[in-house]
Amino acid sequence: MKKKNKRDFSLKQITDYYNQYNERERLSIPLGQVEYLRTCGIILRYLPGPPLQIVDIGGAAGRYACWLAALGYEVHLVDPVFRHIEQAGAASQKQSKNPVRSCTLGDARHLAFPDSLADAVLFMGPMYHLTEYPDRMLALKEALRILKRGGWLFAVGISRFASSIDGFMEGYFMDPVFMRIMIQDLSDGQHRNPTDNPDYFTSTFFHHPSELQREVIDAGFQFEALMAIEGIGYMVKDLEKNWEKNKKSILEIIQKTEREPSLIGASPHIMCVARKRE
Ligand SMILES: C[S@@+](CC[C@H](N)C(=O)[O-])C[C@H]1O[C@@H](n2cnc3c(N)ncnc32)[C@H](O)[C@@H]1O
């Protein structure tokens, strides 16, 4: 019998996690809406207008892929979780005039797309789900391979400090198990969840902002910008209650502080924008 390698095990763990966690709804709560609107805003700042080919790697239930397809882009989504592919397909069918071109099972480290196909790649999942540097390099180099010269990469990482922020905000730090998770994350970014509680996430790697930038450069990209996504938006008093009425002010302050080096790591998600060299 063929021996299972570590990589198969990690994809199984990812699938098991997302089969019990409802990723589709994650961007609907107020902090998720901050993340979604900020991510869309950053992408649109760089992306030339349609028609262009975009590949969304780790596209989950298709939230961003459907948005871009509705704007007129030709979008292909790849994700290793079957449930996400089904959800993305169903969401795409609801926009029959502008569907996502394809939703397929796949792994960022081995893409089935030809060289130089894409004008842009969304890479918002593999940077943290691939816990080992060589795997992240493999995946980034695949993104580079499928991009056209001058094409855009939007790579998202989770901050090294995200568990500390979440631990304090949600009170998880009072659980000694989560306290150990926070300390481990702060020491080397290797996030592990020894419990069954999906709120504590799954095996992942959390970047220091400078590491995220470094890795994108290491893979051969031309670096453009590093930005906080939600920034300090989670600090808004009673965000759940105050978000709807105060969106504009909240987003304005986040944008004004998005490149402040002393604050980027305080953002749960961080965006690295880069290009394939001309
Ligand atoms: C937290 S979700 C983010 C979804 C969406 N891109 C967003 O930013 O909201 C991370 C996604 O990355 C996917 N993923 C994990 N490992 C991956 C890999 N090796 N290749 C491609 N996608 C992967 C997961 O299945 C999941 O759908």
Side-chain angles (χ1 to χ4, degrees), residues 14 18 23 26 58 60 64 79-81 84 107-108 124-125 128-129:
I14 288 165
Y18 284 109
E23 173 62 25
R26 192 177 64 85
Y64 293 100
D79 200 280
V81 176
H84 290 169
D107 181 331
M124 309 195 302
Y128 44 92
H129 276 296

Side-chain angles (χ1 to χ4, degrees), residues 43 47 54-59 64-65 67-68 75 120-124 126 152-155:
I43 292 171
L47 208 59
I54 300 179
V55 180
D56 184 359
I57 305 172
Y64 293 100
W67 161 66
L68 288 166
V75 189
V121 165
L122 307 193
F123 203 76
M124 309 195 302
W152 293 93
L153 175 81
F154 299 95

Side-chain angles (χ1 to χ4, degrees), residues 38-272:
R38 285 277 308 148
T39 303
C40 293
I42 293 169
I43 292 171
L44 282 190
R45 260 186 248 167
Y46 292 92
L47 208 59
L52 292 182
Q53 301 261 359
I54 300 179
V55 180
D56 184 359
I57 305 172
R63 193 72 194 275
Y64 293 100
C66 286
W67 161 66
L68 288 166
L71 291 179
Y73 294 98
E74 186 168 315
V75 189
H76 299 272
L77 179 149
V78 178
D79 200 280
V81 176
F82 183 66
R83 182 188 191 199
H84 290 169
I85 296 303
E86 282 188 323
Q87 291 173 338
S92 165
Q93 272 181 9
K94 287 190 189 149
Q95 48 186 65
S96 54
K97 281 194 186 140
N98 296 92
V100 176
R101 285 296 167 97
S102 69
C103 300
T104 44
L105 267 180
D107 181 331
R109 290 165 291 187
H110 311 280
L111 298 172
F113 299 105
D115 296 358
S116 308
L117 164 96
D119 298 280
V121 165
L122 307 193
F123 203 76
M124 309 195 302
M127 286 306 276
Y128 44 92
H129 276 296
L130 295 171
T131 57
E132 304 304 320
Y133 176 89
D135 282 327
R136 293 193 292 279
M137 280 304 119
L138 252 180
L140 281 168
K141 285 180 179 166
E142 272 293 84
L144 191 65
R145 178 184 69 74
I146 68 163
L147 272 172
K148 292 178 183 153
R149 290 189 184 280
W152 293 93
L153 175 81
F154 299 95
V156 169
I158 295 182
S159 166
R160 177 68 48 85
F161 311 103
S163 301
S164 298
I165 295 164
D166 221 29
F168 277 0
M169 278 175 52
E170 302 296 336
Y172 299 151
F173 77 99
M174 288 180 265
D175 173 357
V177 176
F178 199 80
M179 188 66 189
R180 282 196 291 277
I181 294 176
M182 288 162 72
I183 290 170
Q184 181 67 41
D185 289 3
L186 288 173
S187 77
D188 63 5
Q190 291 292 348
H191 181 87
R192 298 292 181 273
N193 176 3
T195 76
D196 295 334
N197 183 352
D199 291 342
Y200 292 1
F201 209 22
T202 184
S203 299
T204 31
F205 177 71
F206 293 171
H207 287 82
H208 188 279
S210 59
E211 275 173 337
L212 179 65
Q213 176 173 341
R214 185 71 257 157
E215 290 187 5
V216 167
I217 293 169
D218 285 353
F221 284 92
Q222 180 182 312
F223 171 76
E224 288 285 333
L226 192 73
M227 279 172 271
I229 297 184
E230 309 93 318
I232 51 171
Y234 53 84
M235 291 185 181
V236 171
K237 186 175 169 61
D238 299 327
L239 181 67
E240 299 274 330
K241 202 171 79 195
N242 292 323
W243 162 244
E244 261 328 303
K245 274 195 178 159
N246 299 283
K247 269 181 199 174
K248 200 168 162 272
S249 316
I250 295 169
L251 292 173
E252 185 180 342
I253 294 300
I254 295 173
Q255 181 158 351
K256 283 193 183 300
T257 52
E258 69 185 10
R259 293 188 198 218
E260 170 52 48
S262 62
L263 284 179
I264 293 178
S267 175
H269 291 89
I270 302 165
M271 172 73 82
C272 183

